[in-house]
Amino acid sequence: MVLSRGARWAAGTMTAVCMLLLPGSGAPGGGAPRGRPLPFDVPVEAAADRVATWNLCNPCGGIGHDFGRATDIARSAPQVIGLQEACVRDVEQIRTYLEEVYGLVYRVAYGSVLRNWNRCGGLPWRPGGFGQAILSAAPMTDRVNVAYPDGGSEDRGYLAVTTLVGGRPVRVFNTHLAERRQPQARAGQVRVLAAEVARHDRAIVLGDFNAVPDAPELAPMWPLAPDTDPGCRPATTGADADACPATTDWNLTFDYVFLRGVTPHTQHVRPSAYSDHHLVSTDLNRG
């Protein structure tokens, strides 16, 4: 059968489209291309002594945001990262990009999630999961998912796992406290969290606390597990508030890496085009 020029052009166009959609073709919804140079200079493996926290700000959404978020995580390549405001399907796509594009393999543990079609899509009778997640390069055990008695305007809680950081076991907590105009709810949440953290000799607490260092509701955390940045302390400790880097686009410090029985080395705060929160990472001292 002989095709006209127009028919041949249409057939060729459809073939090209189909090739783009095949897994491994590099299409946004398919597998990432293999065997090609990495688009960015990133580590080939996770940094064993580095931990991070990041509020992904769903439903900030947008085409290519999951790949952008994966790239931002890959640039830091933490051993463990706590994610807040994360849709389960987005986290799965981020993990795929991290492995197939950057060669970084992370396990995942999910915390308390809301089933919310407006935030995370899905079908009305099967909405997507929304909440917290921990990604770890090492296996995780003893996962605990606790809902706070008072979540404020939205259910909130913490996720805890045991994993390896710097080659040693440590209890890792990831939390997202009540919204910024709900200090009373946050105060109760911090009391619940601090009581559990106090049970462990070595603990790392990651999360979006929706409160600045001087906020009264954070008071139980400071003597228990100070933040990794010495400039980020309540003013009563002599800290210089101007030395505490903002972790949000609106110039407030809401995101923390609290350490108990673990000492920090350096901290980095990296703004991102894919969230109104910055990615906060900390390198820890061994020992």
Side-chain angles (χ1 to χ4, degrees):
M1 179 175 65
V2 179
L3 298 175
S4 67
R5 178 180 298 177
R8 289 197 302 271
W9 179 88
T13 300
M14 288 301 297
T15 300
V17 170
C18 290
M19 289 299 293
L20 284 172
L21 294 177
L22 286 174
S25 65
R34 297 179 181 273
R36 294 175 56 186
L38 295 180
F40 297 98
D41 183 18
V42 298
V44 296
E45 59 183 18
D49 300 311
R50 184 172 298 153
V51 296
T53 184
W54 195 15
N55 183 318
L56 295 183
C57 186
N58 265 301
C60 291
I63 297 174
H65 276 205
D66 287 341
F67 182 76
R69 289 165 178 153
T71 298
D72 283 348
I73 293 172
R75 284 171 170 156
S76 179
Q79 175 78 357
V80 173
I81 183 168
L83 303 175
Q84 305 89 40
E85 293 201 65
C87 289
V88 170
R89 67 188 65 200
D90 288 343
V91 173
E92 291 305 311
Q93 188 65 71
I94 289 168
R95 289 179 65 219
T96 296
Y97 285 137
L98 284 168
E99 180 173 1
E100 295 191 359
V101 178
Y102 298 111
L104 297 168
V105 179
Y106 285 98
R107 286 85 169 171
V108 63
Y110 292 105
S112 55
V113 295
L114 303 174
R115 295 292 169 182
N116 194 304
W117 181 83
N118 289 329
R119 288 185 186 267
C120 297
L123 300 172
W125 56 90
R126 192 181 177 185
F130 174 80
Q132 303 161 47
I134 293 176
L135 301 184
S136 174
M140 292 176 279
T141 61
D142 303 320
R143 183 181 74 89
V144 172
N145 184 20
V146 174
Y148 294 127
D150 178 8
S153 58
E154 182 177 85
D155 291 343
R156 297 290 167 91
Y158 70 79
L159 165 67
V161 301
T162 297
T163 188
L164 296 179
V165 177
R168 296 185 61 189
V170 63
R171 193 66 171 165
V172 177
F173 295 82
N174 181 27
T175 192
H176 184 195
L177 299 191
E179 295 177 359
R180 58 189 295 187
R181 294 180 177 84
Q182 300 171 340
Q184 185 173 356
R186 287 197 303 275
Q189 293 166 3
V190 171
R191 287 193 294 269
V192 171
L193 177 64
E196 181 60 26
V197 173
R199 296 179 59 247
H200 301 274
D201 294 331
R202 287 169 47 84
I204 298 170
V205 186
L206 310 168
D208 173 5
F209 283 68
N210 271 320
V212 297
D214 256 344
E217 61 267 28
L218 293 190
M221 292 302 301
W222 297 115
L224 182 68
D227 181 70
T228 57
D229 191 324
C232 295
R233 299 283 193 278
T236 54
T237 66
D240 181 3
D242 293 334
C244 183
T247 65
T248 65
D249 286 353
W250 51 93
N251 295 319
L252 294 173
T253 301
F254 279 178
D255 306 270
Y256 299 90
V257 178
F258 291 106
L259 301 177
R260 177 173 172 82
V262 185
T263 56
H265 180 55
T266 55
Q267 178 172 289
H268 304 278
V269 178
R270 304 178 188 276
S272 172
Y274 305 102
S275 174
D276 58 359
H277 286 252
H278 307 340
L279 193 157
V280 180
S281 65
T282 298
D283 291 334
L284 308 176
N285 286 324
R286 287 185 178 268

